[in-house]
Amino acid sequence: MAQSATIFAASQQPLRLALLVLPQASILEVAATLDPLRAANRHLGREAYRWRVVTPGGAPVPLTCGIELPSTGPLPTAEGADVLIVIAGYRQSEVATKPLLRDLRRLAPRFRALGGIDAGGWVLARAGLLDGQRATVHWEDLEDFAASHPDIDVVPDRFTLSGRFFTAGGAAPATDLMLHLIASRQGAALAHQVAASFVTTPRPGAEPQITATRPDPRLDPRVAQAIARMEARLDTPEPASATAAALHLSPRRLEQLFRANLGVTPGAYALMLRLQAARRMLTDTRHPLAEIALRCGFSSASTLSRAFRAEFGQPPSALRRA
């Protein structure tokens, strides 16, 4: 993985960061970005990292959990920082307004490095800053992100470093990214201390966000492998018998394992994954229902509607209107 900018190099100089937090971002992603830096300062006994929070208009921003995050000012007050990190979540296409994108393009050259957490990558891309770079966003949005920005090398990694830019796919990858920053600047020993403070283990950026190589340890490994196959085939679901055959199991044995581990059949679990994916697309995108149906493995919009109503008690159209 290529190193990103000079901020990821050994240094005793304080690093100044500005976080541009957009409305409907997650408080977990803000904490995942800042708390490792706070812990690094505590272990070092000095301010190796300094930060400020800015918002589009300078006012407190509402987060997904319902609370408001205070701000030190609007985006232009981020000037003077070494690094600008954009943290965004839901409705980024609405909250990242044209004036904000214009200011972001204008100010971008004044920072040594720029980053995006979760949908922050979308915001940087919409500002035209990521063309020709490697980048990632949350795994639920990767396909749409790649289709919308063909000039970006979109990867499913937990986090990416590319030139002056870095991106992370969500809260846990943001923590991994900050631990990597700490290790790069102050050494692996400090990064290990910080990780231990949060009872976590750093994961490499190149590791996929969703992977069968690190399954849920509570699940039978064969169930985890089956789930990975289902997640990879949402648009072209395979029969449970084919999944069982791929894992060298009988269909009956696969069903026994699923019932013992998850309390449902393989077919029911695969359908739940597809319906959850459809629900995310209905709330987070403007794709037509027919397209959502095909991308989630349903033969038609009406087939999706029937399954959706049976699972959630309302048709897709009602959820989208809400």
Side-chain angles (χ1 to χ4, degrees):
M1 180 171 55
Q3 285 292 330
S4 168
T6 56
I7 67 165
F8 290 91
S11 176
Q12 296 302 312
Q13 296 298 314
L15 188 68
R16 299 164 299 174
L17 305 98
L19 272 65
L20 172 60
V21 182
L22 272 60
Q24 298 307 308
S26 163
I27 192 172
L28 189 59
E29 289 163 350
V30 176
T33 304
L34 290 183
D35 263 344
L37 306 182
R38 174 199 57 77
N41 287 346
R42 180 172 67 86
H43 285 292
L44 288 169
R46 60 183 174 87
E47 275 197 334
Y49 299 94
R50 302 169 183 170
W51 56 84
R52 71 190 80 159
V53 173
V54 300
T55 55
V61 289
L63 303 177
T64 52
C65 62
I67 70 170
E68 290 190 337
L69 183 70
S71 168
T72 60
L75 174 56
T77 63
E79 281 197 69
D82 300 302
V83 186
L84 177 67
I85 303 176
V86 182
I87 301 181
Y90 294 110
R91 298 168 54 194
Q92 58 80 23
S93 62
E94 299 174 28
V95 298
T97 61
K98 289 183 179 180
L100 180 70
L101 296 177
R102 183 187 62 237
D103 286 345
L104 193 55
R105 282 191 295 270
R106 177 177 60 84
L107 294 171
R110 305 181 190 185
F111 302 100
R112 291 167 56 193
L114 294 98
I117 306 298
D118 197 336
W122 277 98
V123 178
L124 293 176
R126 292 180 59 219
L129 298 173
L130 292 182
D131 288 356
Q133 304 294 335
R134 184 188 305 107
T136 194
V137 292
H138 192 279
W139 64 269
E140 294 175 354
D141 297 329
L142 280 170
E143 186 176 350
D144 285 336
F145 186 63
S148 299
H149 300 284
D151 294 327
I152 298 174
D153 180 13
V154 179
V155 293
D157 299 7
R158 293 180 68 79
F159 65 85
T160 65
L161 310 179
S162 182
R164 296 171 57 227
F165 301 93
F166 54 89
T167 53
T175 297
D176 296 330
L177 173 61
M178 293 301 108
L179 290 171
H180 179 72
L181 175 65
I182 293 165
S184 300
R185 295 180 69 82
Q186 285 87 27
L190 178 62
H192 177 76
Q193 286 181 297
V194 172
S197 297
F198 295 102
V199 198
T200 189
T201 302
R203 295 169 70 169
E207 182 176 295
Q209 295 175 38
I210 301 296
T211 175
T213 61
R214 295 190 61 154
D216 186 335
R218 296 167 296 181
L219 295 179
D220 185 290
R222 294 163 293 184
V223 173
Q225 292 171 25
I227 291 173
R229 288 184 65 87
M230 294 171 184
E231 291 173 339
R233 293 166 174 77
L234 291 179
D235 58 340
T236 55
E238 64 183 8
S241 58
T243 304
L247 301 179
H248 307 291
L249 299 170
S250 69
R252 181 175 180 179
R253 180 56 180 152
L254 183 65
E255 180 169 338
Q256 289 173 337
L257 289 170
F258 262 75
R259 288 190 180 280
N261 283 257
L262 299 170
V264 296
T265 66
Y269 191 86
L271 177 60
M272 180 192 71
L273 288 176
R274 292 159 55 208
L275 288 171
Q276 291 289 356
R279 188 174 190 175
R280 287 194 300 269
M281 290 187 191
L282 285 163
T283 57
D284 299 348
T285 77
R286 298 180 181 177
H287 297 321
L289 185 60
E291 180 181 345
I292 293 174
L294 292 177
R295 290 174 62 168
C296 296
F298 295 92
S299 59
S300 66
S302 59
T303 303
L304 169 59
S305 293
R306 286 193 296 271
F308 197 93
R309 183 189 288 272
E311 177 69 18
F312 300 117
Q314 62 178 343
S317 56
L319 179 63
R320 176 155 278 182
R321 283 196 301 271

